[in-house]
Amino acid sequence: MDNIVIEKPPVAVWPAAKSLATCAVTTAVLLAQRRIHLPRAMAGRRIRFADGTTASVYRETVVDRGPMGDPAVLVVCFRLVLVRGRGHALFRLESILNTPLFVGFPGYVSKLWMTHDSRGTYRGIYEWDGPALAENYARTLWRVLALVCVRGSIHYRVLPGIRRDDFLRNPDAVAEAVGAAGDRAWWLPAQPVLSEAVPAVPGPAVPRQNPPGPTAARQNPHGPAAPQQTTPGPART
């Protein structure tokens, strides 16, 4: 994994507006093609971060794309102005309307929506195809968030060369690779979140089939045995 990308200032207003408009149009196309999904596999999973705070996943948004060529993880945080108490629950319901602001950006793969932590901070954990594209999105999103967020509360980190599930499965390795061990980083899970990969879009369960081993082949070299026919005996009373 290459070095972590530290945040830069937001992009200019006009380029941000153009990118957001293009994103909204692309989102409409993706919706028409039914390529946007809200899988439930990660919903409710709690994540404790290295800064001592904890938050839960309340939604996941995934877009069907081809294989990723340059994976990256993006973590964004912010605190909303004047949102307290029940207002957080209302925001979580309303936030689905914000989907057109990010799904259509080039390289977007998935997002985990996190509840606010004890400090009122919201996080989003994204998977992106292309760290430069992830950074451009974060700097564009900044312009929108600045309208509703506490000044100085918006931050982001881009982690090139890593998949989201690997980031959640082995945060210690990530911390070592980027030199963040012991830094109480707000973006870094404090402990493994996943024991194995979670499919982005869960489908129907498929029974696992193990290939026959050499023992099975020796026992029946001509293929599976025909089912035996039995004659039913008298019914017991």
Side-chain angles (χ1 to χ4, degrees):
M1 183 173 63
D2 298 330
N3 292 333
I4 186 173
V5 177
I6 305 298
E7 63 196 44
K8 299 176 184 178
V11 300
V13 174
W14 177 239
K18 289 179 60 178
S19 295
L20 290 168
T22 302
C23 174
V25 172
T26 303
T27 299
V29 174
L30 293 172
L31 284 170
Q33 297 173 343
R34 298 186 178 182
R35 291 170 57 190
I36 301 176
H37 307 279
L38 301 175
R40 301 291 300 172
M42 291 291 293
R45 196 175 293 261
R46 292 178 63 82
I47 300 179
R48 185 166 65 87
F49 292 90
D51 65 353
T53 61
T54 302
S56 299
V57 178
Y58 70 89
R59 185 183 299 133
E60 181 179 8
T61 304
V62 175
V63 169
D64 289 337
R65 294 191 183 275
M68 284 193 295
D70 191 11
V73 169
L74 165 68
V75 188
V76 176
C77 80
F78 58 89
R79 290 201 315 274
L80 295 171
V81 176
L82 301 178
V83 176
R84 302 289 186 274
R86 294 182 180 179
H88 289 293
L90 293 176
F91 170 75
R92 291 194 296 271
L93 291 174
E94 176 277 335
S95 63
I96 190 68
L97 301 178
N98 300 331
T99 303
L101 298 179
F102 62 86
V103 168
F105 268 83
Y108 172 84
V109 177
S110 70
K111 175 185 178 179
L112 295 179
W113 308 62
M114 309 293 300
T115 60
H116 66 287
D117 62 23
S118 58
R119 302 171 185 173
T121 298
Y122 282 90
R123 293 176 179 85
I125 301 177
Y126 300 78
E127 188 168 30
W128 224 270
D129 190 1
L133 295 175
E135 182 181 15
N136 177 70
Y137 161 75
R139 296 177 64 197
T140 302
L141 176 69
W142 197 319
R143 286 294 179 187
V144 178
L145 291 176
L147 301 175
V148 294
C149 288
V150 176
R151 185 178 180 87
S153 70
I154 304 170
H155 302 284
Y156 73 87
R157 293 292 184 274
V158 178
L159 306 171
I162 186 171
R163 298 289 301 265
R164 184 200 72 185
D165 285 356
D166 295 329
F167 170 71
L168 297 175
R169 187 184 302 110
N170 197 353
D172 289 341
V174 175
E176 182 178 355
V178 301
D183 286 351
R184 296 183 59 81
W186 62 266
W187 51 267
L188 181 68
Q191 58 192 26
V193 180
L194 298 178
S195 58
E196 58 184 27
V198 176
V201 182
V206 179
R208 181 177 178 180
Q209 296 180 352
N210 294 322
T215 302
R218 288 197 300 269
Q219 291 177 347
N220 192 358
H222 301 294
Q228 297 181 354
Q229 296 182 353
T230 60
T231 301
R236 294 183 179 180
T237 59

